[in-house]
Amino acid sequence: FSVAEKYAHVHDLGGEWKRMTGLPFVYALWAGRPDAVDDNGVAILRQSLAAGLSHRGDIARAWAEAHGGVPATYERYLTDNIRYRLGSDELSGVGAFFERLRLEENVARKTRVRFFDGAYVKERALHVTMPAISGDQLVQGQNARGDNLDSHARPASRSLDALLSDAAAGVRLSPEAFIRLYAEATTLDIGAAADARRQALHPDGNVTYIIDRNVNYTNVCVTRCKFCNFYRPPTSKEGYTLSREVLAQKFQETVDLGGVQILLQGGLNPDLPLTWYEDLFRWMKANFPLAIHGLSPEEIRYISEIEHMSIRAVIERLVASGLDSIPGGGAEILDDEIRHSISPLKCTTDTWMEVMREGHALGLRTTATMVFGFGETPAHIVNHLERLRALQDQTSGFTAFICWPFQAEGTRLKLRDDTTAIRYLRLFGLSRLYLDNFPSLQVSWPTMGPEVGQVALRFGGNDFGSAMIEENVVSQAGAIFKLGAPDIERYVRGAGFVPRRRNMRYELLPSARAA
């Protein structure tokens, strides 16, 4: 409190970290090995936190007696300046700190933070690098009700009702339980459990949506995915890269319609170097009040390849020039067996995950997606979800999950799988139950239609996606649904919810003008 009076130059660690990363600085954690911290130890720590929080006035007075000053100033500091709970932003800050530390010290092994919140069975938790406990986290082996969860590791011996009930209450599903529910549970029972989980996570009854524009800046692409109608090879006369004049028209129209974001994605164009994107982003930020939700992991991977740079270095330069967040496109199924069969030239599962991990470490928030209908098995699907859930445990960087079925019309890849609304709803509901650490699930009305989107709000969805002003990729494969903001609000209200506009970080915006 008196350091500023003693020195000419004072730098606040938290302030400098916030300026550098845009994230909070986490000064302290209660941490311990899983084999050394038991339920009683965690209970003592939580009691200690509660006691300290309830005696902040006493602590402030004691400090004032020992060091001088006004007790109210110290109490205000303890109350207003310090946050005692670890939310998504704080966890992203922790992940960014550990990653910078790892690179600075040239250490190959990555530090991963885990919490004693009932999320892990003991055998998995023993392999955790650095488990930590905060005052609002729960001890391993319990859920929010304090029930013992050891039995959820043995799904075959439990009834379907018990598995669904526990998942609805926040108990983490195992991959084996997911596969069993996928095979045996009724669609309505899955929906009821997912709806209960949605209500627990979002009790306010709001369903959010965003006004943005999907701008596909180029259709030139070298990947030649079998399921894509949009791309053109570099030699094609139908290939394009949008000019600044065309982009300016699209961006200004987006602003005039109340849009707050541009979803900027395109093909892998060998003629567009990193500097092209940097110049574009700086120009966008200088001329339009729009967030840039841009470049899928595959695009970022390709830029790093042609520039002979690391993925992290590419993202750092993109962020410096204006990138705000990364969309989760190009995930399809995060299993290389499926990926190789449908898009052999596309990045591997590990590379897709690396882009997201590095983005989270640099403070970016991202979305995650899944496209099904390629002949994948339930094991492929749960592998996909498990990868996302594990990374979210480490970084808390994902804001939302979106899934939709493969749109086959006119593509080189023939449809040989179930892409009906029933399968979509089953997978959507099970995703809500499995992705227990994802705050939001977005329905896919552009591919399924708004009526199915309404139903999906009762299968765990809490976000109606985008009032898209423009979309070019899935529409060229048969998806033709388009809705404006008034239409979205009408469908949301028809499903019994309150529509609220948001930005990419899921911060609520004024309804009249989402700015």
Side-chain angles (χ1 to χ4, degrees), residues 281 292-295 300 315 318-319 321-326 364:
F281 289 2
I292 302 175
H293 185 47
L295 307 187
I300 292 173
I315 298 176
L318 292 172
V319 170
S321 58
L323 181 66
D324 294 293
S325 56
I326 298 175
L364 293 181

Side-chain angles (χ1 to χ4, degrees), residues 4 36 287 318 346 437:
N287 292 280
L318 292 172
K346 214 164 193 175
N437 52 8

Side-chain angles (χ1 to χ4, degrees), residues 281-296:
F281 289 2
R282 284 191 287 264
W283 171 75
M284 290 174 65
K285 288 296 187 178
N287 292 280
F288 306 97
L290 295 167
I292 302 175
H293 185 47
L295 307 187
S296 68

